[in-house]
Amino acid sequence: MTAVTARAHTNIALVKYWGKADTKLMLPQTSSLSLTLDQFYTDTTVNFVSDLTADEVVLNGQRLTPTASQKVRHVLDLVRQQSDETRFARVSSTNHVPTAAGLASSASAFAALAGAASRSAGLNLSRTDLSRLARRGSGSATRSIFGGFVEWQAGIDDATSLAVPFQEQVDWPIAMVALVLDPRHKKVSSTQGMQSSVTTSPYYPAWKTVVADDLAAIKPAILAQDFTTTGEILEANAMRMHALTLSANPPFSYFNGESLAAMQTVRDLRASGVSCYYTLDAGPNVKVFCQEADLPAVTTRLAAQFGADQVIVAHPGPGIAFL
């Protein structure tokens, strides 16, 4: 059994789940739908070796403490349980995406880890089973096993909570512009924020209905390449998710002043005839959904306001690959 390297890309949820039904198995309260992006990815190499007395995890050149690498070691334990492998692993991972800044670095990281670790241990898992394994490290990682538009079906247990490709080959000229407003770690993690929203927001029960309705509406819109309907749904869904953080007790927000300014800029662009919509995950960074024809107008305006180095253009990306 040898070292294996896997690459997985991040994804941006267009219809978000925001809340776990089971924190141990990482089962979500609702299903969700995402778009895998080409510009943000993680490369991870895993090698099970005999000379270690514990798993060794290096991220971006820095060795992680046992506490910081706890989720990684959990996934490695699951791989050992499923295989004949009993040795500890040497893990080296490079994130080509700001970590913990609302750009889904954990999604690409744990998808790549699931792929590299399982293959290094001699397993040849299907992409469906890889998505289940990746989910145990980070919920959104289940979607990063696949490319293009992906649905994470909530399921009811470990066997049924998994991602399925909705439209892997995207022949629709769309783009997602990432506006990196703050690459630092966020103060409230996604896990903390979700739990607080689920347990304290009086509007959480309505959120489940919102997600079900949005999923039912966005799927035919994507298949029909109906840009306006898709954009309206993903923007409204994001704002309703963030309404849960504002209505939690105590209330909190992932927005900063620049987030609000960027959202207004997108609305201003739309009013001027440029078709574009925004979404945000658990962080201040804004992602702008647009069509290729409107990309110059969107990037020019955002670069002028926030700086060209803050603007990254992404397109639909691929599923997991082994390097």
Side-chain angles (χ1 to χ4, degrees):
M1 297 175 189
T2 57
V4 174
T5 301
R7 173 175 292 177
H9 290 72
T10 65
N11 66 78
I12 176 72
L14 309 183
V15 175
K16 306 177 188 300
Y17 77 94
W18 201 246
K20 296 184 177 75
D22 184 322
T23 55
K24 184 173 182 290
L25 293 177
M26 306 289 266
L27 306 181
Q29 292 271 356
T30 69
S31 297
S32 56
L33 190 138
S34 64
L35 178 64
T36 302
L37 302 177
D38 61 352
Q39 285 300 304
F40 308 109
Y41 60 92
T42 302
D43 289 339
T44 298
T45 302
V46 177
N47 193 12
F48 289 92
V49 293
S50 303
D51 62 346
L52 291 178
T53 57
D55 291 318
E56 180 182 291
V57 183
V58 175
L59 173 62
N60 297 333
Q62 299 292 316
R63 182 154 175 189
L64 299 186
T65 65
T67 301
S69 61
Q70 185 175 358
K71 288 184 177 180
V72 173
R73 290 182 287 112
H74 174 57
V75 173
L76 294 172
D77 284 341
L78 292 170
V79 168
R80 282 185 283 257
Q81 289 170 21
Q82 293 181 37
S83 68
D84 295 328
E85 186 57 77
T86 58
R87 295 171 296 177
F88 291 109
R90 185 169 282 123
V91 179
S92 178
S93 189
T94 303
N95 264 344
H96 298 271
V97 52
T99 301
L103 285 169
S105 60
S106 63
S108 56
F110 282 99
L113 175 67
S118 60
R119 286 231 177 155
S120 182
L123 297 172
N124 189 21
L125 300 181
S126 66
R127 291 197 300 169
T128 296
D129 286 336
L130 273 182
S131 80
R132 292 174 55 245
L133 176 61
R135 189 197 76 235
R136 300 293 294 275
S138 169
S140 56
T142 194
R143 299 185 304 242
S144 279
I145 298 297
F146 301 98
F149 292 101
V150 184
E151 181 181 359
W152 176 11
Q153 297 176 343
I156 56 171
D157 54 22
D158 181 53
T160 56
S161 185
L162 47 87
V164 295
F166 179 69
Q167 187 182 77
E168 281 211 88
Q169 301 304 318
V170 181
D171 59 357
W172 188 10
I174 54 173
M176 190 71 75
V177 181
L179 184 59
V180 183
L181 299 171
D182 188 348
R184 296 172 296 180
H185 278 258
K186 56 210 176 196
K187 293 176 181 174
V188 181
S189 73
S190 300
T191 299
Q192 292 171 310
M194 286 182 195
Q195 186 63 18
S196 176
S197 298
V198 170
T199 56
T200 68
S201 171
Y203 307 124
Y204 196 83
W207 167 247
K208 295 185 186 182
T209 304
V210 163
V211 170
D213 291 346
D214 287 348
L215 273 174
I218 203 170
K219 288 184 192 177
I222 290 169
L223 293 176
Q225 298 189 0
D226 180 343
F227 181 82
T228 300
T229 300
T230 302
E232 288 174 348
I233 292 169
L234 71 86
E235 185 172 289
N237 183 269
M239 290 302 93
R240 287 167 177 169
M241 184 204 99
H242 285 277
L244 296 173
T245 76
L246 295 168
S247 58
N249 186 17
F252 63 99
S253 176
Y254 290 108
F255 301 159
N256 62 22
E258 286 191 314
S259 307
L260 297 171
M263 287 185 268
Q264 185 58 52
T265 296
V266 171
R267 289 190 289 266
D268 291 345
L269 279 166
R270 209 155 57 219
S272 71
V274 178
S275 187
C276 55
Y277 299 86
Y278 58 80
T279 184
L280 302 88
D281 278 333
N285 303 305
V286 176
K287 276 71 73 173
V288 183
F289 182 63
C290 67
Q291 297 178 96
E292 200 70 30
D294 290 316
L295 197 51
V298 171
T299 55
T300 300
R301 179 71 174 273
L302 293 176
Q305 187 172 351
F306 299 98
D309 58 340
Q310 307 297 99
V311 180
I312 306 171
V313 176
H315 293 91
I320 192 169
F322 294 91
L323 306 181

